[in-house]
Amino acid sequence: MGMMNDTTGLDFILMGFSDQPKLEKILFIVVLISYLLTLLGNIAIILVSRLDPKLHTPMYYFLTNLSFIDLCFTTSIVPQLLWNLKGPAKTITPIGCAIQLYVSLALGSTECVLLAVMAFDRYAAVCRPLHYATVMHPRLCQSLAGIAWVSGLGNTLIQGTITLQLPLCGHRRLYTFLCDVPAMIKLACVDIHANEIQLFVASLVLLLLPLGLILISYALIAQEVMRIRSAQAWQKALRTCGSHILVVSLFYGTITAIYIQPNSSYAHRQGKFITLLYTVVTPTLNPLIYTLRNKDMKGALKRLLGKDPR
């Protein structure tokens, strides 16, 4: 009997930060503000990138995908988190938990691959500037974005379905604030060694493999810039790649701490705060990084607001 069948009519309890009532009040305000900024920032990037013809480039095509992912990812998690932080109820229905698991896992996996695709785009921009338009033609961009989305959907269908089919017994308390694979497999009343191996393999493929490709892309970029031996070339490369490097550092620095770590440490307080960083804080910072550090985006915003006639 699968998990969903075993839990019909029995809600899951998201323990979250319930052991720290005073902290919950502070977190409610912080998370609410972060969520509103996430909505505002990512919607602005999507609209500006679509409406301004000067931003109809591969970089902003991928950035639009990233903003849409962050927008949906936080929406799949934060409203439930705010509800649990605000009131005494810390529960989520089995159906709600399954939906949250599928959606957040699909979008998180897609973002891992998309960031690698964006690193390849930056490599083409820096190392193949004269052939950039030929290399990053629209059909290739659509194919690369499609690969990212298919990878995310495939991963969530496999991992999510396997996780939800695990039989439950005993309590249904999740010692975190969302339904995710590492926390949910601990509720099973069977040996989960195979599930832990499967989670580790999936993490290698969808976390470390894209991260490896990102590092290779930036190693090639650094090699190309060092060959030129020009301070101006370094400045141009930093302008071209700086925002993406910051986003990659934030995203992978937090998510790998959750999925590539000793299993016994996941339920610790530190794990909950790291999860909070990559589910709430990082999607808030991404649009700020791309707007505050990007002259094209700032110029497009000014044009749309009528403050720049050019």
Side-chain angles (χ1 to χ4, degrees):
M1 187 75 67
M3 177 181 289
M4 292 304 298
N5 290 331
D6 282 354
T7 57
T8 301
L10 297 173
D11 293 344
F12 291 96
I13 302 173
L14 300 174
M15 301 301 290
F17 303 93
S18 57
D19 58 335
Q20 299 169 280
K22 294 182 179 179
L23 179 61
E24 281 190 318
K25 297 178 181 179
I26 299 173
L27 284 178
F28 178 84
I29 298 173
V30 172
V31 171
L32 178 60
I33 294 173
S34 295
Y35 183 51
L36 293 176
L37 289 174
T38 299
L39 294 178
L40 179 63
N42 286 294
I43 289 174
I45 286 179
I46 293 171
L47 290 177
V48 171
S49 298
R50 298 292 295 176
L51 295 176
D52 195 310
K54 293 185 178 181
L55 299 186
H56 292 175
T57 63
M59 174 183 172
Y60 292 100
Y61 172 74
F62 295 130
L63 180 56
T64 300
N65 277 265
L66 179 64
S67 293
F68 180 74
I69 289 172
D70 283 344
L71 194 64
C72 297
F73 179 72
T74 52
T75 300
S76 71
I77 295 171
V78 172
Q80 180 69 46
L81 172 59
L82 289 172
W83 176 263
N84 291 346
L85 287 173
K86 183 64 175 177
K90 310 295 181 184
T91 59
I92 183 172
T93 65
I95 297 297
C97 190
I99 292 173
Q100 186 179 79
L101 175 69
Y102 274 120
V103 173
S104 62
L105 182 58
L107 294 171
S109 303
T110 301
E111 183 162 347
C112 290
V113 181
L114 184 64
L115 289 174
V117 170
M118 295 174 74
F120 173 73
D121 172 67
R122 296 299 82 203
Y123 160 78
V126 174
C127 300
R128 299 290 184 270
L130 298 179
H131 304 284
Y132 178 71
T134 303
V135 174
M136 300 303 296
H137 55 83
R139 184 172 297 178
L140 177 62
C141 293
Q142 293 170 5
S143 299
L144 291 174
I147 290 172
W149 282 100
V150 170
S151 299
L153 292 173
N155 181 53
T156 195
L157 287 175
I158 294 172
Q159 281 205 78
T161 302
I162 292 174
T163 300
L164 292 175
Q165 287 300 313
L166 289 171
L168 281 181
C169 55
H171 71 82
R172 291 176 171 80
R173 292 189 296 272
L174 296 170
Y175 292 95
T176 182
F177 55 85
L178 76 157
C179 296
D180 63 354
V181 175
M184 294 190 70
I185 62 176
K186 291 185 177 182
L187 300 180
C189 55
V190 295
D191 183 11
I192 60 170
H193 182 65
N195 298 86
E196 290 174 344
I197 293 176
Q198 174 255 331
L199 175 61
F200 181 73
V201 172
S203 299
L204 287 178
V205 174
L206 288 167
L207 280 177
L208 297 188
L209 180 59
L211 180 58
L213 295 175
I214 292 170
L215 294 176
I216 291 172
S217 296
Y218 280 112
L220 294 173
I221 290 172
Q223 185 180 33
E224 178 70 17
V225 175
M226 289 177 67
R227 186 181 62 83
I228 299 174
R229 295 182 180 179
S230 166
Q232 186 177 3
W234 276 106
Q235 293 174 359
K236 181 179 179 182
L238 186 60
R239 288 196 303 268
T240 304
C241 306
S243 297
H244 183 256
I245 291 174
L246 284 175
V247 169
V248 168
S249 300
L250 285 169
F251 181 79
Y252 278 97
T254 52
I255 198 170
T256 52
I258 294 297
Y259 286 90
I260 308 293
Q261 66 169 341
N263 190 41
S264 60
S265 66
Y266 180 79
H268 292 176
R269 182 178 301 177
Q270 182 181 5
K272 290 186 287 188
F273 281 103
I274 295 174
T275 304
L276 191 69
L277 286 177
Y278 92 82
T279 56
V280 178
V281 178
T282 299
T284 303
L285 294 178
N286 286 354
L288 295 177
I289 291 170
Y290 273 105
T291 53
L292 294 178
R293 291 182 53 86
N294 191 299
K295 291 192 300 183
D296 293 337
M297 182 61 68
K298 289 189 287 187
L301 283 170
K302 290 180 180 179
R303 286 191 294 273
L304 288 178
L305 294 174
K307 296 182 179 181
D308 187 351
R310 290 177 296 174

